[in-house]
Amino acid sequence: MDWNWQVIFDHIPDLLGGAVLTIQLVVISGIVGLFFGLILALLRLSKSWLVQILPFLYIFFFRGTPLLVQIFLIYYGLGQFGAVRESFLWEPVLSQAYWCAIIAFTLNTSAYLAEIIRGAIQTIPVGELEAADALGMSKWQKLTRVTLPRAFGIVIPAYSNEVIFMLKGSALASTIALMDITGVARTISARTYTLMELFFAAGIVYLVLSWVILFSFRLFEKRMNRHASYVPPDVMTNTIP
C-alpha cells in the first residue's frame, strides 16, 4: 500500500476546521453538563428518597444506554411526535443536528458528572464540615465556601477524564451529518479513497486536543489545590543566632 502524505497536508486545514466544531460541542456540553451534574449530585445527596428517585432514574438511564442511541433518540425520535414538531423549539433547536448533538452530549455527561461530584462531596473530611458548623456558618455558606470548593478540588482529575471521554465521544456527531473532525475525515476519504491517511491525521488532531485539555486541567488543578503543595518555612533556618 502506497502511503499518500500529500493528501494529509492538503486537507489539514479542513480537519482543523472540523476541530472547531468538535471543540464547540465539547466546551458547550461540558459547561452546561457540569451545571446540571452539580444539581443532580446535590439532589442525590438528599436524605429524602422522594427527592433522590428522579435523579437516580435519570443517571441510571443515561449511564446505562449508549451515547449513540441517545443521539438517535433525540435527533430522529423527537421528530416523531407532532407536539414536538409544532412547538416553538422545533425549528431553531430540535430540528438542527448541531443542537441535538449538544443536548445529547449534555444529558449524557451530566449523568456521569453527577456521580463524580457526589463522590467528591462524600470524600470531604468530616472535620472540615464540623469546623464550618463550629464557626456558625449557615447551610448555604457551608455549601458555597467549604463543600463545593473542596469538592471541585477533588473532582478535577476525574472531570478531566470525563472531558476526554466527551472529546472521543464527539466523533459520534458525524453520524447525524455534522462535519466535526471525524465527519470531515469520512467525507474526504470517501472522495479521495485515502481512508488510512485521513483517519491517521484525524487521530493526530484528537491527540493534540487531548494533550491541550490534560495540560490545561493540570494547571487548573495545581491552582485549585495549591494548599496541598504548600511547604512551610524551615523554622531552624529562620532563627537568629
Side-chain angles (χ1 to χ4, degrees):
M1 182 186 71
D2 294 330
W3 188 267
N4 189 347
W5 287 103
Q6 188 60 43
V7 72
I8 296 178
F9 298 141
D10 291 342
H11 294 289
I12 279 293
D14 299 315
L15 292 173
L16 294 180
V20 174
L21 177 58
T22 296
I23 293 170
Q24 289 178 1
L25 295 174
V26 173
V27 170
I28 295 175
S29 58
I31 293 174
V32 180
L34 179 61
F35 174 76
F36 284 113
L38 174 59
I39 295 175
L40 290 169
L42 294 177
L43 292 176
R44 287 279 285 124
L45 290 170
S46 173
K47 296 180 181 179
S48 172
W49 69 270
L50 291 175
V51 177
Q52 292 187 31
I53 186 65
L54 287 179
F56 171 79
L57 293 176
Y58 174 93
I59 293 169
F60 178 77
F61 174 80
F62 282 100
R63 293 179 69 194
T65 56
L67 177 57
L68 181 61
V69 172
Q70 297 165 18
I71 293 173
F72 284 174
L73 285 175
I74 293 173
Y75 184 62
Y76 296 111
L78 292 180
Q80 305 300 316
F81 299 96
V84 175
R85 293 196 305 271
E86 295 171 1
S87 68
F88 70 96
L89 290 175
W90 174 251
E91 192 63 33
V93 178
L94 298 179
S95 65
Q96 306 297 321
Y98 176 81
W99 291 111
C100 286
I102 288 179
I103 291 171
F105 294 156
T106 299
L107 296 177
N108 181 270
T109 193
S110 64
Y112 285 93
L113 289 175
E115 289 299 281
I116 293 173
I117 295 172
R118 183 174 69 92
I121 292 176
Q122 290 177 330
T123 58
I124 296 175
V126 178
E128 297 183 15
L129 301 177
E130 292 176 344
D133 293 330
L135 291 173
M137 290 187 179
S138 64
K139 289 184 178 180
W140 177 253
Q141 288 175 326
K142 184 169 69 173
L143 178 67
T144 56
R145 298 183 182 182
V146 179
T147 305
L148 292 184
R150 287 288 286 118
F152 280 119
I154 297 171
V155 85
I156 290 173
Y159 181 46
S160 65
N161 289 335
E162 176 60 22
V163 173
I164 295 297
F165 290 143
M166 288 170 54
L167 174 65
K168 293 186 291 186
S170 67
L172 295 175
S174 63
T175 60
I176 53 176
L178 285 179
M179 297 300 288
D180 65 332
I181 299 172
T182 303
V184 171
R186 288 174 58 182
T187 301
I188 298 175
S189 63
R191 187 173 68 247
T192 60
Y193 302 101
T194 52
L195 186 143
M196 291 293 293
E197 292 88 339
L198 265 300
F199 277 95
F200 171 79
I204 296 299
V205 176
Y206 278 114
L207 281 174
V208 172
L209 290 178
S210 298
W211 180 85
V212 172
I213 290 172
L214 291 174
F215 181 75
S216 300
F217 271 101
R218 183 65 59 85
L219 295 179
F220 183 60
E221 182 182 4
K222 287 183 178 180
R223 174 67 179 175
M224 287 292 294
N225 296 328
R226 56 188 181 277
H227 61 278
S229 58
Y230 172 73
V231 179
D234 191 343
V235 178
M236 297 300 296
T237 59
N238 292 334
T239 54
I240 301 176

